[in-house]
């Protein structure tokens, strides 16, 4: 971060994003809009998440300035072979491995899923003007060619990409209309708030943490967020749960499970333990969050047929389940 600002507006201003652009023209309006959507700006002490919010006279606007981004980012194609769940001339849906980031960013100039997509297309692309602010798991179509959603670095499983702009726009529309079905598996700490039978709906708004900007938090002023949770098995004080993602916010499943008192094993950011006891009371380590994007269903943008994909549960995940004496879901 490059500093903070606090402005008292005696006569008001039109839109929040335009006001911020006017006082800091070195930061693009699109950057400010993403910054606001991430919950980084307050008006009279209340977090605002819409760039089009009208700022009334007598209001005080406060924020930490976003870091300036490079003027251009060249996206290089790379020949990276990734497990394929479905592919044709329009779509590439992969089983993302743990440890791989989806698109370039600070500390990850290459070796990403997006570099692999460009390598598969054997085509260079024009540089993008700026990096998107880390925000929604679902990505506005113009920002990154081919990408419509993302997974955290250590989350494995189903990730859909488009091979052309019309397909990307069509997929983005499906995500916006909530017709895409996304189901995840997670190993979590047992909690009394988890359902004994059936499922529960976690309906808690999410905003960026006001102090730790790398975290998200449940906040009444945040964006609507819904996750349906069902327990599949229990053992050793842990539970294997299935999560249906009804909205697509950053860290949504990780945060909602933590909010239930059931943080994901291997996710210390949200209270998950990095080690546990197996069925024989022996310690074992869990180096990253046990979260797997298990199933993905969407309509093919070209012919409308429903595609139902399932990513095999990875070895690292199944080995933890075996230590706990839990059968791997079919």
């Amino acid at each position: 971060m490059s500093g903070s600002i606090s402005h008292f507006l005696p006569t008001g201003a039109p839109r929040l994003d335009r006001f911020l652009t006017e006082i800091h023209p070195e930061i693009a309006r699109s950057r400010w809009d993403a910054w606001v959507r991430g919950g980084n700006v307050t008006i009279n002490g209340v977090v605002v998440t819409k760039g089009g919010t009208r700022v009334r006279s007598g209001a005080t606007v406060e924020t930490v300035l976003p870091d300036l981004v490079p003027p251009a980012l060249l996206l290089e194609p790379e020949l990276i072979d990734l497990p394929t769940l479905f592919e044709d001339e329009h779509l590439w849906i992969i089983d993302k491995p743990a440890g791989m980031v989806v698109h370039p960013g600070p500390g990850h100039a290459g070796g990403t899923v997006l570099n692999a997509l460009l390598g598969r297309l054997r085509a260079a692309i024009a540089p993008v003007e700026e990096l998107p602010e880390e925000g929604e798991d679902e990505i506005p179509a113009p920002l990154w060619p081919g990408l419509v959603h993302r997974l955290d670095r250590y989350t494995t499983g189903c990730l859909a990409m488009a091979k052309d702009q019309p397909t990307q726009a069509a997929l983005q529309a499906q995500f916006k209309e909530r017709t895409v079905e996304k189901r995840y598996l997670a190993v979590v700490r047992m909690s009394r708030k988890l359902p004994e039978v059936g499922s529960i709906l976690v309906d808690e708004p999410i905003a960026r943490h006001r102090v730790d900007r790398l975290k998200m938090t449940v906040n009444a002023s945040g964006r609507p967020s819904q996750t349906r949770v069902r327990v599949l098995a229990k053992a050793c004080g842990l539970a294997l749960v299935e999560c249906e993602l009804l909205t697509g916010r950053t860290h949504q499943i990780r945060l909602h499970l933590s909010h239930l008192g059931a943080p994901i094993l291997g996710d210390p950011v949200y209270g998950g333990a990095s080690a546990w006891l197996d069925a024989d009371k022996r310690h074992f380590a869990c180096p990253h969050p046990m979260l797997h994007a298990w199933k993905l269903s969407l309509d093919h943008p070209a012919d409308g047929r429903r595609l139902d994909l399932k990513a095999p549960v990875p070895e690292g995940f199944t080995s933890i389940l075996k230590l706990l004496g839990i059968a791997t879901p079919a």
Side-chain angles (χ1 to χ4, degrees):
M1 306 297 173
S2 52
S4 61
I5 58 172
S6 178
H7 283 275
F8 173 73
L9 283 72
T11 58
R15 289 170 51 112
L16 178 60
D17 54 359
R18 289 178 182 170
F19 165 70
L20 292 169
T21 304
E22 288 174 2
I23 61 173
H24 281 281
E26 73 279 9
I27 300 174
R29 180 176 162 187
S30 59
R31 176 73 164 169
W32 275 122
D33 184 64
W35 193 244
V36 172
R37 285 190 286 109
N40 300 295
V41 181
T42 65
I43 298 178
N44 294 332
V46 178
V47 175
V48 178
T49 58
K50 293 183 179 180
T53 299
R54 300 286 175 175
V55 183
R56 301 182 182 278
S57 61
T60 299
V61 176
E62 295 180 293
T63 184
V64 175
L65 292 178
D67 293 328
L68 294 177
V69 297
L73 177 69
L74 181 63
L75 301 179
E76 295 283 357
E78 298 180 29
L79 297 179
I80 304 173
D81 189 28
L82 295 174
T84 297
L85 301 174
F86 177 88
E87 185 175 21
D88 63 9
E89 67 271 26
H90 302 285
L91 290 172
W92 188 28
I93 303 177
I94 66 166
D95 179 6
K96 190 188 85 66
M100 190 174 196
V101 299
V102 172
H103 58 66
H108 302 281
T112 73
V113 172
L114 181 53
N115 294 109
L117 173 63
L118 298 178
R120 206 164 188 88
L121 297 176
R122 293 184 172 85
I125 65 165
V128 296
E129 292 184 357
E130 60 179 80
L131 293 166
E133 179 61 33
E134 183 68 23
E136 296 243 357
D137 284 350
E138 296 161 18
I139 302 172
L143 288 176
W144 294 104
L147 299 185
V148 290
H149 68 135
R150 54 185 152 200
L151 300 176
D152 289 340
R153 179 179 180 182
Y154 291 104
T155 301
T156 55
C158 298
L159 182 72
M161 293 172 284
K163 290 187 174 182
D164 54 70
Q165 197 282 325
T167 299
Q168 184 181 24
L171 288 177
Q172 184 63 27
Q174 289 187 49
F175 275 98
K176 185 176 182 180
E177 294 163 5
R178 305 302 174 199
T179 60
V180 177
E181 295 180 25
K182 297 172 285 182
R183 296 178 185 270
Y184 290 66
L185 294 176
V187 178
V188 305
R189 182 189 303 158
M190 267 304 300
S191 167
R192 293 180 180 178
K193 293 182 179 180
L194 290 174
E196 288 292 331
V197 295
S199 65
I200 60 169
L201 178 65
V202 185
D203 187 0
E204 297 288 351
I206 291 176
R208 192 166 296 279
H209 198 285
R210 296 189 65 178
V211 177
D212 187 345
R213 310 310 292 180
L214 298 178
K215 292 177 60 176
M216 309 302 288
T217 186
V218 169
N219 189 306
S221 64
R223 308 192 73 185
S225 308
Q226 294 181 325
T227 307
R228 191 172 297 281
V229 181
R230 182 165 65 99
V231 176
L232 302 182
K234 295 182 287 186
C236 305
L238 297 174
L240 173 65
V241 299
E242 178 189 77
C243 298
E244 182 181 1
L245 202 61
L246 302 180
T247 54
R249 313 303 182 204
T250 296
H251 297 178
Q252 178 176 317
I253 292 176
R254 296 166 64 186
L255 178 59
H256 274 174
L257 289 172
S258 179
H259 186 70
L260 290 177
I264 296 175
L265 183 66
D267 186 10
V269 173
Y270 292 101
S274 58
W276 205 259
L277 295 177
D278 66 13
D280 295 320
K281 306 299 182 182
R282 297 172 300 190
H283 279 88
F284 65 89
C286 187
H288 59 75
M290 289 290 99
L291 183 61
H292 176 61
W294 188 29
K295 297 178 180 179
L296 176 71
S297 297
L298 51 81
D299 296 331
H300 194 289
D303 56 30
R305 62 190 154 124
R306 192 68 171 174
L307 298 178
D308 297 311
L309 288 308
K310 182 192 291 185
V313 182
E315 183 178 351
F317 203 107
T318 59
S319 64
I320 297 294
L321 294 181
K322 186 176 181 179
L323 288 170
L324 298 173
I326 295 176
T328 300

